[in-house]
């Protein structure tokens, strides 16, 4: 606006504004006057408009007591007008706010406590709120010591989908250090990140006649891969026994019985699995594995004719010791024809 002087913030987003200009210019400015209440405020307010003509019209009388002379001068005495416009800001439901950490990461098969999840509600934190949690490729475990929550879906112990309600304080206590448990042997390398979708609803507690306020946020997680050990699957029952040291397990395998001088044909019952490898990936050098089979009083025979086997240290597909390198797919194809033949007359 030309030919005017502004005090304050230049007439933009200010609670106090003073301008000086011609009547037409001031009216032009007032034609676009906008009132905006403070964030989340509702209740009574008022807009006070004061105008002064600065005494630009008429004369003022000044009396000099020393000389007993009265003189006229310009400008005249300033005249003012004040108008107060009452304003009532009506309440509206503000949805709760969910704060989540940015893309936390963890290792495959390793649970992680998730800190940094916080829920706030400017309309009131004392009433009951309802929350829903959905996890795509993992599970959520809440603090079991938190009371005051009512569950409609899940228990909070280890769930893909949770729905429960409670006060905002109890919900925040439960969520402040909840645990994310990834699906076994699952990671995000070469895949989209996992998602935990959190939705909160204030159930219209501020005013039951208003719609409830709902907010949804998504927590994205990166699950880093680890090298899983391969596993040999054999016939019969296998018991996993804890080792005394080292933090690993020992396999106790059910005994196989055969008559003296008879063959034991395994017929695909011995197989290798590895969660890190895809069996169809036969061209990737990273999928090559090493296999060793040995026995004390026998001859082992890999009778299946399989290409892509590299026998090592002078061994072959026949003997009491077999050492071979191949892809997982080729190793399993060779093991499909594994035969055990005891030493003659041995029992």
């Amino acid at each position: 606006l030309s030919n005017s002087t502004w005090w304050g913030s230049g007439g933009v987003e200010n609670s106090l504004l003073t301008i000086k200009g011609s009547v037409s210019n001031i009216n032009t400015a007032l034609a676009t006057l906008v009132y905006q209440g403070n964030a989340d405020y509702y209740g009574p307010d008022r807009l006070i408009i004061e105008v002064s003509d600065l005494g630009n019209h008429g004369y003022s009388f000044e009396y000099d007591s020393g000389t007993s002379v009265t003189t006229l001068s310009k400008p005249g005495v300033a005249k003012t007008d004040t108008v107060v416009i009452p304003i009532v800001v009506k309440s509206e439901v503000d949805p709760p706010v969910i704060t989540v950490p940015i893309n936390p990461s963890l290792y495959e098969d390793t649970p992680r406590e998730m800190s940094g999840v916080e829920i706030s509600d400017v309309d009131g934190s004392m009433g009951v709120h309802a929350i829903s949690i959905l996890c795509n490729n993992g599970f959520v475990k809440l603090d079991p010591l938190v009371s005051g929550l009512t569950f409609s879906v899940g228990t909070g112990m280890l769930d893909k989908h949770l729905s429960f309600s409670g006060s905002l304080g109890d919900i925040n206590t439960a969520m402040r250090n909840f645990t994310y448990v990834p699906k076994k042997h699952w990671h995000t390398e070469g895949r989209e990140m996992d998602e935990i979708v959190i939705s909160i609803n204030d159930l219209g507690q501020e005013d039951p006649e208003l719609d409830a306020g709902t907010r949804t946020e998504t927590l994205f997680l990166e699950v880093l891969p680890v090298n899983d050990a391969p596993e040999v699957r054999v016939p019969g029952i296998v018991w996993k026994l804890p080792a005394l040291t080292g933090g690993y397990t020992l396999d106790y395998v059910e005994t196989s019985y055969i008559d003296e001088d008879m063959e034991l044909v395994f017929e695909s019952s011995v197989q290798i699995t590895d969660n890190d490898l895809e069996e169809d990936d036969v061209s990737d050098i990273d999928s090559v594995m090493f296999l060793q089979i040995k026995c004390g009083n026998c001859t082992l025979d890999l009778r299946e004719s399989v290409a892509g086997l590299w026998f090592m240290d002078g061994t072959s597909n026949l003997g009491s010791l077999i050492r071979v390198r191949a892809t997982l797919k080729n190793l399993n194809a060779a093991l499909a024809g594994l035969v055990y033949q005891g030493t003659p007359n041995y029992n």
Side-chain angles (χ1 to χ4, degrees), residues 274-281 284 286-289 327-328:
D274 192 329
N275 293 297
D276 296 325
L277 301 178
E278 298 287 341
E279 288 199 22
D280 292 334
D281 189 9
D284 190 348
D286 292 332
S287 70
V288 173
M289 306 178 70
T327 63
L328 178 60

Side-chain angles (χ1 to χ4, degrees), residues 69-85:
V69 176
T70 300
T71 59
L72 298 176
S73 64
K74 292 193 80 169
V77 177
K79 300 295 183 178
T80 63
D81 188 24
T82 300
V83 175
V84 178
I85 303 176

Side-chain angles (χ1 to χ4, degrees), residues 53-111:
D53 65 6
L54 302 178
N56 287 323
H57 302 280
Y59 292 86
S60 63
F61 297 90
E62 296 182 1
Y63 175 73
D64 188 341
S65 60
T67 61
S68 300
V69 176
T70 300
T71 59
L72 298 176
S73 64
K74 292 193 80 169
V77 177
K79 300 295 183 178
T80 63
D81 188 24
T82 300
V83 175
V84 178
I85 303 176
I87 296 174
V88 175
V89 182
K90 295 165 49 174
S91 63
E92 290 186 355
V93 173
D94 291 291
V97 175
I98 305 173
T99 303
V100 297
I102 300 176
N103 301 349
S105 62
L106 64 151
Y107 287 104
E108 174 188 343
D109 298 331
T110 305

Side-chain angles (χ1 to χ4, degrees), residues 191-207:
R191 306 183 179 101
E192 293 183 353
M193 288 195 290
D194 200 6
E195 298 179 358
I196 299 178
V197 181
I198 304 172
S199 297
I200 186 77
N201 187 301
D202 65 11
L203 301 179
Q205 59 171 307
E206 187 65 22
D207 186 344

Side-chain angles (χ1 to χ4, degrees), residues 51-226:
V51 63
S52 171
D53 65 6
L54 302 178
N56 287 323
H57 302 280
Y59 292 86
S60 63
F61 297 90
E62 296 182 1
Y63 175 73
D64 188 341
S65 60
T67 61
S68 300
V69 176
T70 300
T71 59
L72 298 176
S73 64
K74 292 193 80 169
V77 177
K79 300 295 183 178
T80 63
D81 188 24
T82 300
V83 175
V84 178
I85 303 176
I87 296 174
V88 175
V89 182
K90 295 165 49 174
S91 63
E92 290 186 355
V93 173
D94 291 291
V97 175
I98 305 173
T99 303
V100 297
I102 300 176
N103 301 349
S105 62
L106 64 151
Y107 287 104
E108 174 188 343
D109 298 331
T110 305
R112 173 175 169 172
E113 282 192 354
M114 292 294 163
S115 59
V117 176
E118 192 77 20
I119 301 170
S120 59
D121 190 344
V122 297
D123 287 335
S125 59
M126 301 304 293
V128 174
H129 288 64
I131 186 169
S132 172
I133 303 172
L134 181 63
C135 187
N136 286 348
N137 292 288
F139 305 88
V140 170
K141 182 178 182 296
L142 302 180
D143 186 343
L145 300 180
V146 177
S147 60
L149 302 179
T150 301
F151 289 87
S152 57
V153 178
T155 63
M157 297 305 296
L158 203 64
D159 304 278
K160 290 182 68 66
H161 184 200
L162 267 173
S163 291
F164 57 94
S165 59
S167 71
L168 210 53
D170 289 337
I171 290 175
N172 273 326
T173 301
M175 294 292 296
R176 194 160 289 129
N177 289 296
F178 78 90
T179 301
Y180 166 79
V181 181
K183 186 167 59 177
K184 187 176 181 181
H185 301 315
W186 187 86
H187 58 80
T188 58
E189 185 175 60
R191 306 183 179 101
E192 293 183 353
M193 288 195 290
D194 200 6
E195 298 179 358
I196 299 178
V197 181
I198 304 172
S199 297
I200 186 77
N201 187 301
D202 65 11
L203 301 179
Q205 59 171 307
E206 187 65 22
D207 186 344
E209 295 184 358
L210 297 176
D211 293 333
T214 301
R215 179 64 58 88
T216 299
E217 293 289 346
T218 301
L219 173 60
F220 296 93
L221 303 105
E222 181 183 21
V223 182
L224 303 173
V226 298

